[in-house]
Amino acid sequence: MTSVLTWLDDPPADRGLRFAGDGGGDPWTFYSYEQMAYLARQAALRLWSFGVRPGDTVLVLCPTSPEFVAHYFGALIMGAVPAAAAPPPRMGDLTEYRRGLDHVVRLIAAKAVVTTPGSVSVLAPVARDVGGLLIDASAPAATRRADFDAPAIEDLSIIQLSSGSTGPRHGVRISLPAVQSNVAALHRWLEMTSRDRFPTWLPLSHDMGLVGALLNPVAAGADVWLMPPEDFIRSPIRWLRLFSDLAPTITAMPAFGLAHILRRVPSRKLEGLDFSSWRGLIIGAERIDHDIARRFVNLLEPFGFPPRALSPAYGMAEATLAVTGTSLAEVHPALTVDARSLSLGNAVKQVPARAGRPLPPAATTVVGCGTPLPRTEVTIVDGEGTPVGEDVVGEIVIRGQALAAAVLREAGAEQPIGATFATGDAGFLHQGRLYVLGRLGDSVKQLGRWLFAEDIERVAWSESPSPQRTVALLGDLGGHSMAVIAVQGALAAEEAEAIGKAVCGYAGNLRVTVMSVPVGWLLRTPSGKPMRRAMWAKFIANGGGANVLWRTPHADEVRFDNHKEEI
């Protein structure tokens, strides 16, 4: 089995990790695997000298940097349990960050927090409150050999933190053999070798960034370029230029990254670039919009991007990372279906394409997320947990060697996962491929039909002046199913009405509210997924400064606690 630690024993000096600079001088700083192995062993000595012992949980709060990589692997070397979370933000109010971090530290029972020098003072209160050790990643390591033996692989584990898109953040404990099983499956699916070149901007505190963009290529001995996520958000063209200047071969990103590139990178900025070396772009973390995927391919294909390189996938932290993936040898599949048939227990009704004729209003196109990875099984079940056949909508259930051992929802309390995991996601199988529809918790049943927030959101985007700042929330209020469309920034009354009427046209008798919200109201996870439950709670509590601009006439029948026209 592929080991994520083997590289430490005989690290090559000609391949390694490159970290983005600040834009001055050399844009990338190279650390060979040989150098990183030395730094990881030094980090293990540092942790030991500060009092960390095998089995202790170490929370790594470093930015994308050699310090992060060294201390994550250093914790594993000495038998500790590494967990990663986002470092303190560079600007803004730290109150909310500290509150969330305090929850995380208690949740995982961290015995030590590792951070960079500039964040030590910011994190001091959190570490002190829980009685943990706050370790400066630049502090001198012990000069003598620490008194610990190399741990057995089966005794090692990691903790991954959920993104928080489905409620309060929780953790999952994953054995290292499970991690290695998923990494081995990734290697087989992607045909990863040491010849691959893997650039990433993903946060290393997120499962896609940690497992998919760090542990995966490092275990293969591939060259890796690591850019901080804020650099990609600020300048996606810099990231794209890597594929022309350095000819990397494979990468991964959440689906919102495609939309960000489409918004910020016009085709004229791509003149002279060559994307023909790109053999794999893994897309996941949220439901994939077919139109955005199509437009992304159309943008890059004239500059050498092969359409088959776009590879939709499905996964989650509870499965280490990947569950299904699309073969890099085929263009990703998509099905146009009647949205009215996408109800739990219903057979999916396909809509045939007719040349020269528009699709009916109820038609929607869903993107396939590939087939199950090796040693992974996917089953679709009905409301009673009974498996259903192909082309029938139900809840996605997974089984496999890469499942996490337990879920951490309260400090010191672990809930074993068992042999299977019910994901809470709705979807169906067609010709062995998985099609994901959305979160069951972010959906409502209306007139016998299930409506998913992702579908309502895409309808709202079609009329919104700011699609990238428009989010749909679904829930029950006053005994009625309701959709809330939140648009950040200025929104004219006629624009709100157009959004509301479009949603009503799609959703039928659903109560709809359209409102403008201030900057900061919309909440997203590090991977860009909307935190719909947190926003819904904000809405029903007091609105948080939102301004209702349009409602369906019968929405006035609902009594909104603490709500006025200016919520």
Side-chain angles (χ1 to χ4, degrees):
M1 180 182 292
T2 300
S3 173
V4 298
L5 300 179
T6 298
W7 68 276
L8 292 160
D9 297 328
D10 186 22
D14 59 337
R15 299 189 304 279
L17 312 181
R18 292 164 176 83
F19 298 89
D22 57 8
D26 189 347
W28 299 94
T29 303
F30 176 67
Y31 284 77
S32 69
Y33 279 112
E34 185 176 62
Q35 289 173 294
M36 284 308 314
Y38 171 78
L39 292 177
R41 298 189 190 283
Q42 288 295 106
L45 294 175
R46 182 177 296 111
L47 294 174
W48 181 271
S49 64
F50 272 87
V52 177
R53 295 295 179 264
D56 289 347
T57 301
V58 176
L59 181 60
V60 183
L61 295 178
C62 297
T64 301
S65 61
E67 289 82 6
F68 178 96
V69 178
H71 286 84
Y72 197 91
F73 281 99
L76 288 171
I77 287 172
M78 62 153 298
V81 181
R90 296 178 181 177
M91 297 181 293
D93 185 7
L94 293 171
T95 304
E96 192 62 32
Y97 174 81
R98 288 195 182 102
R99 185 179 297 116
L101 182 58
D102 182 71
H103 167 72
V104 167
V105 169
R106 295 176 186 276
L107 175 72
I108 66 176
K111 295 295 181 64
V113 175
V114 179
T115 192
T116 47
S119 298
V120 170
S121 61
V122 173
L123 299 177
V126 175
R128 182 173 62 248
D129 289 346
V130 298
L133 296 169
L134 182 60
I135 300 175
D136 183 340
S138 65
T143 55
R144 62 181 179 83
R145 183 185 185 280
D147 187 21
F148 61 82
D149 297 323
I153 294 298
E154 56 270 18
D155 294 332
L156 294 174
S157 63
I158 68 172
I159 291 176
Q160 289 199 118
L161 295 167
S162 74
S163 62
S165 63
T166 60
R169 295 193 76 181
H170 63 273
V172 290
R173 184 182 296 275
I174 310 171
S175 71
L176 200 63
V179 174
Q180 296 187 158
S181 177
N182 203 238
V183 169
L186 288 171
H187 285 184
R188 183 172 172 183
W189 164 36
L190 303 174
E191 300 179 3
M192 287 283 299
T193 73
S194 61
R195 296 186 298 276
D196 275 303
R197 298 176 297 281
F198 198 117
T200 179
W201 55 266
L202 296 175
L204 299 180
S205 56
H206 183 257
D207 54 355
M208 183 180 275
L210 176 67
V211 179
L214 181 64
L215 302 185
N216 167 38
V218 165
D223 279 305
V224 187
W225 285 261
L226 297 110
M227 173 187 288
E230 56 268 26
D231 285 6
F232 169 78
I233 298 300
R234 183 169 54 247
S235 179
I237 186 62
R238 180 188 179 192
W239 183 79
L240 284 172
R241 283 178 180 142
L242 283 174
F243 290 89
S244 183
D245 298 344
L246 304 171
T249 56
I250 196 164
T251 190
M253 73 168 81
F256 89 89
L258 301 185
H260 184 63
I261 290 171
L262 289 170
R263 287 194 302 270
R264 296 289 300 275
V265 183
S267 59
R268 58 181 172 77
K269 287 191 175 182
L270 301 179
E271 292 296 337
L273 300 186
D274 179 7
F275 301 126
S276 59
S277 70
W278 208 335
R279 68 179 189 85
L281 169 54
I282 315 307
I283 302 297
E286 57 185 323
R287 180 166 159 181
I288 299 160
D289 184 273
H290 174 258
D291 182 61
I292 288 176
R294 177 188 58 80
R295 288 167 52 207
F296 178 85
V297 171
N298 289 345
L299 175 68
L300 269 63
E301 188 176 11
F303 304 97
F305 180 80
R308 67 178 181 276
L310 190 67
S311 180
Y314 171 72
M316 62 195 63
E318 288 84 354
T320 301
L321 176 62
V323 174
T324 68
T326 305
S327 169
L328 301 187
E330 64 174 351
V331 175
H332 68 272
L335 289 176
T336 300
V337 301
D338 187 334
R340 295 168 297 188
S341 69
L342 300 180
S343 297
L344 298 182
N346 280 9
V348 176
K349 181 180 179 181
Q350 292 191 51
V351 176
R354 298 178 180 178
R357 298 181 61 181
L359 292 172
T364 186
T365 301
V366 287
V367 174
C369 293
T371 56
L373 268 58
R375 304 185 182 89
T376 304
E377 298 177 16
V378 173
T379 307
I380 308 297
V381 302
D382 61 18
E384 303 301 320
T386 303
V388 298
E390 279 212 341
D391 297 311
V392 176
V393 177
E395 182 178 8
I396 302 169
V397 175
I398 57 178
R399 173 193 298 269
Q401 294 183 5
L403 279 185
V407 177
L408 291 70
R409 297 194 184 275
E410 296 180 6
E414 295 192 4
Q415 177 184 349
I417 284 183
T420 61
F421 180 71
T423 65
D425 290 329
F428 63 93
L429 291 168
H430 175 75
Q431 296 181 350
R433 297 181 177 89
L434 178 65
Y435 291 77
V436 181
L437 300 177
R439 294 290 305 174
L440 290 171
D442 295 327
S443 59
V444 295
K445 193 172 185 179
Q446 188 74 0
L447 301 178
R449 168 190 175 196
W450 280 94
L451 300 170
F452 295 94
E454 291 87 347
D455 291 313
I456 299 294
E457 195 165 86
R458 280 156 180 76
V459 173
W461 287 353
S462 68
E463 297 292 339
S464 174
S466 304
Q468 70 274 19
R469 294 190 292 273
T470 301
V471 171
L473 312 175
L474 294 182
D476 292 309
L477 189 62
H480 300 279
S481 295
M482 186 174 183
V484 175
I485 311 301
V487 182
Q488 180 179 297
L491 185 67
E494 57 270 22
E495 293 171 332
E497 182 180 10
I499 293 171
K501 288 184 174 180
V503 172
C504 288
Y506 174 82
N509 199 40
L510 189 69
R511 284 163 163 74
V512 179
T513 291
V514 182
M515 61 190 194
S516 64
V517 298
V519 174
W521 202 97
L522 301 182
L523 304 175
R524 295 186 183 275
T525 69
S527 65
K529 291 185 287 188
M531 300 173 67
R532 300 187 201 274
R533 294 190 189 181
M535 288 185 280
W536 179 262
K538 185 190 299 190
F539 167 72
I540 63 174
N542 57 25
N547 181 26
V548 171
L549 296 173
W550 189 88
R551 287 180 182 157
T552 47
H554 54 12
D556 293 333
E557 301 169 8
V558 180
R559 296 294 180 262
F560 295 86
D561 294 339
N562 301 322
H563 287 56
K564 299 179 182 179
E565 194 64 13
E566 174 71 27
I567 298 184

